[in-house]
Amino acid sequence: MDDLAAQMRVNKRIRRVREMQDWDYEWIRLACPGKSVREVNEIANAHFARGRSIGINNGDPSIDGR
C-alpha cells in the first residue's frame, strides 16, 4: 500500500510540473508573438533546463536576452 501511495504522489508531482511547463510555454509564446515555434521551444527548453518555471520555484519570468 505504501508503494501505491508513493507512486500516486510521484505521478501527481509529475502532472503538476508538466502543467506548469505548459503554462510557461504559453506565457513565453504570448510574450514573444513574433517568435517562431522553434524559437519559443528553444527559449522554453533553456528555461526548463535551468530548473526554472514561472509557476515553480519562483522562476524568473523575464525572457529577455535568452
Side-chain angles (χ1 to χ4, degrees), residues 39-52:
E39 291 171 316
V40 170
N41 281 333
E42 288 174 358
I43 293 168
N45 288 338
H47 195 64
F48 302 146
R50 287 192 300 273
R52 291 184 170 178

Side-chain angles (χ1 to χ4, degrees), residues 12-49:
K12 183 177 179 180
R13 191 180 83 210
I14 290 170
R15 272 193 314 272
R16 183 171 186 276
V17 168
R18 286 183 183 155
E19 288 170 359
M20 288 288 100
Q21 287 178 339
D22 288 345
W23 190 91
D24 287 353
Y25 178 86
E26 288 300 315
W27 186 91
I28 293 166
R29 189 179 63 79
L30 293 171
C32 302
K35 300 276 185 192
S36 69
V37 171
R38 181 178 179 201
E39 291 171 316
V40 170
N41 281 333
E42 288 174 358
I43 293 168
N45 288 338
H47 195 64
F48 302 146

